[in-house]
Amino acid sequence: DEPALVVLDADASDCFEVARWIKQNSPATRVILVAGKQLSGDQMRQVSSSGCDELLIAPMTADELHDVVAIQLGEPRPGTEAS
């Protein structure tokens, strides 16, 4: 089974290669990249070319992370569910 979502650490030296491999081998898997600092222009181009679905810059709150994961998984935000 393919994972629905993967969260990668942008500070890892191979994060872009890992993201690219995941998207090539499991295109339906959503990839969130978490960076501990602002990324350079070259790094931003790598984010785009690696197929990441979302980029988060730390620090972030647990609610912010939860919202991004929910959006990527297509889950409704609390309070917006259809009755």
Side-chain angles (χ1 to χ4, degrees):
D1 288 332
E2 296 180 359
L5 181 130
V6 174
V7 177
L8 297 175
D9 180 356
D11 295 330
S13 62
D14 61 350
C15 68
F16 300 116
E17 291 81 19
V18 170
R20 192 172 293 111
W21 185 90
I22 290 168
K23 294 306 274 188
Q24 288 173 348
N25 292 283
S26 183
T29 298
R30 309 303 290 176
V31 177
I32 299 174
L33 193 62
V34 178
K37 60 184 184 332
Q38 292 288 352
L39 300 180
S40 69
D42 286 340
Q43 289 171 315
M44 289 301 296
R45 284 185 281 284
Q46 287 182 304
V47 169
S48 179
S49 68
S50 68
C52 289
D53 298 293
E54 188 75 49
L55 171 65
L56 293 174
I57 306 295
M60 74 204 75
T61 67
D63 285 341
E64 289 169 327
L65 179 59
H66 177 268
D67 285 348
V68 168
V69 168
I71 289 167
Q72 289 299 322
L73 294 176
E75 296 177 0
R77 289 179 161 204
T80 63
E81 299 90 353
S83 306

